[in-house]
Amino acid sequence: MFSPRFSLQSEALNSADADVWAVSDRAHQLADKGEDVIFLCVGDPNFDTPEPILDFARARLGVGRTHYSPAAGEPMLRRAIADIESKVSPHPCSPDDVVVFPGGTNAIYAVLACLLNPGEEIVIPEPMYIGYVPICDSLRLDVKKVACPPENNFAFDVEAIKAAIGDDTRAVMINTPVNPTGAMATPEQLRELAAFCRERGVWLVCDEMYSMITFARRHTSLRTAAEHLDNIVVIDGLSKSHAMSGWRLGWAVARGPLVERLIEFAGATIFGCPQFIQEAAAFALEFDTYFVKQMREAYEKRRDLIVPRINSIPGLSCYSPEAGMFVMVDVSQVAESGEAFAGALLDAERVSVLPGAPFGASAVNHVRLTLAADEAELSRALDRIERFVTAGSRQAS
Ligand SMILES: Cc1ncc(COP(=O)(O)O)c(C=O)c1O
């Protein structure tokens, strides 16, 4: 008899908590039955990829750019990414510093797989992007979480991160702007943390997936802020900024020996991303600031619609995120937890939001609302949320 046995890596993934998406899965089941559900749970841009990028990709398909490509990435794209980095940074970036991956997730996976062994410690501030959990589970990393609490608007806390770095720490992974909180690290904080990590022989990985969706102030990359580059890695991609989530295009920027390791890893696991997609990505980076600006402004308008509305509902509160595609709502006055709120809101009003707990203990009393819905949809959702909260407080009184 054959009884299936799997690797420790697969078992680690399989045993991980699976109910992150429980409310959202239930919302999809209701929608499939024809119910009018409003989805405010995903971070997938609700814009189409800009037409000129589509045209460029079609043209490249038309000339046969459908073959294998170098593991490190197409030269044209590596150059476009390096040029973007060089424009803003005191450290010139060479195409040789860039490795292309199919999406930010894969870039993060490759970087952590090259830097850490199973059982080794990585420090990560929370609330953190949900996607880090399966990556760290699968690589069997020992994750030491650092709380960035709501009392401080989830602000990036360098001192707390520094305090968490011990003799066993191999790497620190940060995310700025942060999904889910929209908090941003300042250039000074990044510089200080990079220097501290370097002094202690620790890698510093920075996920900058929302670098182009910032509102009041511009994002500063870790690569721009840091004095020395040998212990740092920056990850970015086009999923959010260019509404290209389904194209699967991300990258890592690093130095010398790590770049070599990443190329080897990409060669073994991916063997090159599609040529026409990489060339369209290079086009997007070189020519497409107009569309990026339009989308960024739309997210900002939506934020400015949501935040005062939430704060006008007795019992709910939120702060105005500096960046990104999400608003974190404190529901502690009206529900036992974010999870209880999200479940009951779906039951009563058919609005799907994500509970905060899977992002980290600091977010347990929060729910995350996405800005990836148009203003009319957001207004409709907020009407329902208001009715839900008001009905709840009437029942309680
Ligand atoms: C902070 C953060 N990093 C990485 C990713 C993954 O990006 P990609 O969709 O390119 O894999 C996401 C996606 O939501 C994210 O929010």
Side-chain angles (χ1 to χ4, degrees):
M1 262 285 276
F2 175 73
S3 81
R5 284 180 55 195
F6 299 101
S7 66
L8 291 175
Q9 185 176 34
S10 171
E11 292 297 349
L13 258 179
N14 190 247
S15 62
D17 276 351
D19 55 6
V20 172
W21 297 100
V23 177
S24 134
D25 289 347
R26 207 151 58 72
H28 281 286
Q29 286 161 10
L30 290 167
D32 288 347
K33 285 187 200 147
E35 300 242 11
D36 172 24
V37 181
I38 303 178
F39 289 89
L40 295 188
C41 43
V42 292
D44 193 355
N46 68 324
F47 300 102
D48 292 330
T49 302
E51 197 61 38
I53 302 174
L54 298 178
D55 284 343
F56 195 89
R58 285 186 199 110
R60 300 314 291 166
L61 271 171
V63 295
R65 298 294 285 155
T66 54
H67 294 271
Y68 288 130
S69 68
E74 285 291 336
M76 178 183 178
L77 176 57
R78 293 176 85 196
R79 197 172 318 112
I81 295 165
D83 286 351
I84 283 204
E85 289 282 336
S86 295
K87 249 185 234 160
V88 291
S89 169
H91 313 291
C93 183
S94 150
D96 295 339
D97 298 334
V98 178
V99 187
V100 177
F101 292 93
T105 304
N106 193 256
I108 296 165
Y109 193 97
V111 166
L112 298 189
C114 287
L115 300 185
L116 294 114
N117 291 309
E120 287 184 337
E121 183 178 283
I122 181 165
V123 169
I124 311 182
E126 62 84 12
M128 68 168 89
Y129 169 50
I130 293 173
Y132 297 158
V133 176
I135 294 175
C136 293
D137 282 346
S138 144
L139 295 170
R140 287 172 287 145
L141 305 182
D142 178 12
V143 179
K144 192 191 258 187
K145 294 177 188 165
V146 178
C148 296
E151 300 79 57
N152 204 12
N153 286 352
F154 299 113
F156 192 80
D157 187 344
V158 174
E159 289 312 316
I161 298 171
K162 279 163 58 179
I165 296 171
D167 292 344
D168 294 335
T169 308
R170 285 291 301 270
V172 174
M173 182 159 66
I174 57 174
N175 169 215
T176 180
V178 178
N179 171 6
T181 66
M184 289 170 76
T186 65
E188 295 73 30
Q189 287 174 319
L190 293 172
R191 188 181 174 86
E192 183 183 342
L193 188 59
F196 186 87
C197 287
R198 186 167 184 266
E199 217 177 274
R200 280 166 178 65
V202 169
W203 290 100
L204 179 58
V205 182
C206 192
D207 172 353
E208 305 188 1
M209 200 56 67
Y210 296 87
S211 61
M212 295 184 216
I213 310 179
T214 67
F215 306 134
R217 66 184 164 110
R218 287 202 153 217
H219 164 83
T220 301
S221 167
L222 170 66
R223 199 177 176 285
T224 298
E227 194 173 349
H228 300 281
L229 303 184
D230 44 5
N231 68 318
I232 70 165
V233 192
V234 168
I235 290 159
D236 206 335
L238 296 182
S239 297
K240 314 291 177 174
S241 57
H242 292 69
M244 291 177 72
S245 50
W247 297 63
R248 311 310 298 133
L249 204 290
W251 58 84
V253 182
R255 270 284 156 99
L258 175 57
V259 172
E260 268 170 49
R261 302 301 171 114
L262 289 173
I263 296 171
E264 285 161 5
F265 194 90
T269 54
I270 309 298
F271 206 60
C273 296
Q275 291 176 320
F276 70 96
I277 288 182
Q278 293 187 70
E279 291 174 352
F283 172 81
L285 285 173
E286 281 166 353
F287 299 108
D288 192 37
T289 52
Y290 170 71
F291 291 101
V292 172
K293 183 170 174 286
Q294 267 194 332
M295 289 190 270
R296 182 172 55 229
E297 286 171 358
Y299 289 127
E300 188 170 4
K301 259 181 98 183
R302 294 168 186 180
R303 177 200 66 171
D304 293 343
L305 169 82
I306 284 195
V307 169
R309 264 304 296 274
I310 293 286
N311 284 321
S312 74
I313 301 174
L316 298 188
S317 64
C318 65
Y319 64 90
S320 189
E322 280 194 275
M325 290 170 53
F326 309 103
V327 173
M328 290 294 273
V329 180
D330 182 344
V331 297
S332 57
Q333 304 291 309
V334 296
E336 252 170 43
S337 66
E339 197 175 354
F341 182 92
L345 176 65
L346 180 65
D347 289 340
E349 291 288 350
R350 302 298 192 242
V351 177
S352 172
V353 297
L354 270 195
F359 295 96
S362 299
V364 74
N365 288 321
H366 286 71
V367 294
R368 190 193 77 171
L369 268 54
T370 183
L371 300 175
D374 64 30
E375 288 180 46
E377 187 82 335
L378 289 172
S379 288
R380 227 158 58 83
L382 286 160
D383 291 344
R384 292 187 189 189
I385 292 173
E386 181 163 14
R387 196 164 58 202
F388 169 69
V389 174
T390 312
S393 51
R394 226 182 280 122
Q395 258 171 25
S397 58

